């Protein structure tokens, strides 16, 4: 497709646009808001990720001839709407939580303001990116906390869609992972990469020793050798014999990982390989990582659980119309209510820096911002163009690190509980 993102719209969005163009309401100035009614079950905070990807996608959002021909062939919309789409380009404003920010139930994560015609087309694009990336980052942040400073490697590309794999690697890195095995994530976003061989490389050779020797001769003694293809004890002995006591690391991908880590550490030390690291992988999630905290582990490789949100594959965010021509509007359906009016949020803190409350208020009714408080949303797009000073991925990592330090320690627990800080809604 010409644009790459313009057909990231649903038919019902085009249906609404078609009808709004017909009755003259399409050009009313509106604000749509992205928020989550609740956090995934048991979670105490969410992590904002994907804003950078969204801004990139927004810059490519237009309907070229190929997209219009596809819609015309499908008979999806009227000629009037096709003519409108041919010249459509978002020219409004977007404000929202920057990447690496924490969010809570009801947080106004993104506010999109412009004509109804230009804002309504963005719903699927906005939600598909934010729901995915925020879910991955939120899970990855919990794993980072559980790892307690130990190295984390994202290696889940084979467990998700090929494009989702790249986005997941980016989101995991934002949330504190140290590296990914996904090379495309390095090319697009500069995420550091690492990796070692799989069991197939060992099985390719006539013996484990031949496989290890080939890898060491190619990559040097600092490489990581996978030692559980056959027998772990024999594998470690062979690895040290081939590479010497300066071997970089051994990886164990099966068995009782806690017990295996203890035995591997003791064996490596007895062989003089005291600096050789122990890397564990194999169906790890934040709870398994926390359970291994007391074991002699140097790094974790995490796959399926991180790229699927560790039980919460979507952040559950919605995109709702909250204001029309300056007039607050709200959905009143039972259990799916929304709060009318364009909003902002102030995060309140103690003098020590600990966050105590999130105050969500209408822009028309500003609240006092104390000495230790801060306004959370920032300007992202003005008159259709991204504002200067956009955060880098590295800055988003540091922002999240600082935010996690600021919440009460109870908010970092992996057990079920209330959100890390309460949210107050003001009219």
């Amino acid at each position: 497709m010409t644009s790459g993102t313009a057909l990231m719209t649903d038919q019902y969005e085009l249906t609404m646009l078609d009808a709004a163009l017909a009755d003259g309401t399409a050009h009313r100035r509106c604000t749509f808001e992205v928020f989550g009614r609740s956090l995934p079950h048991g979670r105490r905070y969410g992590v904002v990720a994907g804003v950078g990807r969204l801004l990139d996608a927004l810059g490519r959002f237009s309907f070229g001839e190929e997209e219009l021909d596809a819609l015309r062939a499908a008979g999806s919309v009227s000629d009037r709407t096709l003519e409108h789409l041919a010249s459509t380009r978002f020219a409004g404003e977007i404000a929202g939580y920057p990447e690496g920010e924490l969010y809570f139930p009801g947080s106004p994560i993104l506010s999109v303001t412009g004509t109804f015609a230009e804002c309504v087309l963005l719903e699927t694009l906005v939600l598909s990116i934010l729901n995915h990336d925020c879910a991955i980052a939120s899970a990855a942040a919990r794993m980072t906390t559980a790892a307690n400073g130990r190295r984390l490697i994202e290696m889940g590309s084979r467990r998700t869609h090929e494009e989702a794999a790249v986005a997941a690697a980016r989101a995991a890195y934002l949330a504190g992972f140290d590296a990914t095995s996904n090379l495309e994530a390095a090319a697009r976003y500069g995420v550091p990469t690492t990796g070692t061989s799989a069991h197939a490389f060992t099985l390719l050779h006539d013996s484990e020793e031949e496989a290890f020797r080939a890898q060491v001769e190619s990559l040097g003694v600092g490489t990581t050798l996978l030692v559980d293809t056959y027998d772990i004890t024999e594998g470690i002995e062979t690895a040290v014999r081939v590479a010497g006591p300066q071997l970089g690391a051994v990886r164990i991908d099966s068995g009782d990982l806690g017990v295996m880590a203890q035995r591997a550490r003791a064996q490596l030390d007895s062989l003089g390989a005291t600096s050789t690291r122990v890397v564990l992988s194999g169906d790890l999630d934040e709870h398994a990582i926390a359970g291994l905290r007391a074991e002699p582990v140097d790094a974790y490789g995490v796959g399926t659980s991180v790229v699927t949100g560790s039980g919460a594959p979507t952040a559950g965010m919605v995109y709702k119309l909250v204001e029309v021509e300056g007039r607050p509007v709200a959905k009143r359906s039972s259990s799916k209510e929304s709060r009318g009016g364009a909003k902002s949020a102030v995060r309140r803190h103690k003098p020590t820096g600990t966050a105590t409350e999130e105050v969500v208020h209408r822009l028309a009714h500003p609240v006092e911002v104390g000495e230790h408080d801060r306004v959370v949303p920032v300007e992202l797009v003005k008159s259709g163009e991204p504002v200067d000073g956009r955060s880098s991925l590295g800055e988003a990592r540091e922002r999240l690190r600082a935010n996690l330090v600021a919440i009460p320690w109870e908010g970092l627990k992996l057990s079920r509980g209330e959100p890390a800080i309460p949210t107050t809604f003001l009219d």
Side-chain angles (χ1 to χ4, degrees), residues 323 326 342-343 361-366 427:
E323 194 167 282
K343 301 176 204 61
H361 64 93
R362 290 186 186 176
L363 286 174
H365 303 147
D427 289 332

Side-chain angles (χ1 to χ4, degrees), residues 371-395:
E371 178 183 357
H372 305 288
D373 304 336
R374 62 183 175 86
V375 177
V376 186
V378 299
E379 188 178 44
L380 297 169
V381 175
K382 186 175 182 179
S383 299
E385 297 294 335
V387 300
D388 294 334
R390 174 174 158 185
S391 295
S392 68
L393 189 55
E395 289 169 337

Side-chain angles (χ1 to χ4, degrees), residues 111-199:
S111 295
V112 182
T113 300
T115 67
F116 179 83
E118 59 189 345
C119 294
V120 73
L121 291 176
L122 298 182
E123 179 172 358
T124 298
L125 178 68
V126 168
L127 291 182
S128 64
I129 292 176
L130 294 185
N131 268 320
H132 175 268
D133 288 25
C134 292
I136 305 308
S138 298
R142 286 159 57 88
M143 295 173 194
T144 301
T145 298
N148 197 30
R150 294 171 178 174
R151 187 172 172 82
L152 281 166
I153 304 163
E154 184 280 313
M155 46 195 301
S157 295
R158 301 168 187 174
R159 298 293 185 266
T160 188
H161 186 278
E162 65 270 20
E163 282 298 317
V166 184
R170 181 187 185 278
Y173 180 68
L174 184 157
F177 272 55
D178 297 280
T180 180
S181 62
N182 189 289
L183 298 180
E184 183 63 23
R188 288 191 202 177
Y189 305 118
V191 179
T193 57
T194 191
T196 184
S197 61
H199 295 105

Side-chain angles (χ1 to χ4, degrees), residues 39 42-46 102-105 347-348 354-358 403-413 415-423:
L39 295 172
R43 303 286 176 88
R44 301 184 184 220
Y45 62 86
L102 301 181
Y103 71 89
F104 303 95
R347 185 86 41 87
R348 302 208 183 280
T354 301
T356 60
E357 181 186 23
E358 180 144 313
N403 275 310
L404 290 174
V405 170
I407 63 175
W409 69 268
E410 294 92 343
L412 297 177
K413 290 182 177 180
S415 57
R416 296 174 183 173
E418 296 299 314
I421 61 173
T423 302

Side-chain angles (χ1 to χ4, degrees), residues 6 9 13-22 24-28 61-65 68 71-72 77-91 114-122:
T9 53
E13 294 161 14
L14 291 180
T15 299
M16 287 190 287
L17 173 62
D18 209 20
L21 287 171
T25 57
H27 301 293
R28 289 183 176 178
F61 192 88
S62 62
F63 288 81
E65 287 302 319
L68 295 172
L71 293 175
R72 189 176 292 110
V77 292
S78 67
D79 290 341
R80 175 186 54 247
T81 299
L82 288 172
E83 182 178 351
H84 172 84
L85 293 175
S87 60
T88 193
R89 180 182 177 278
F90 183 74
T115 67
F116 179 83
E118 59 189 345
C119 294
V120 73
L121 291 176
L122 298 182

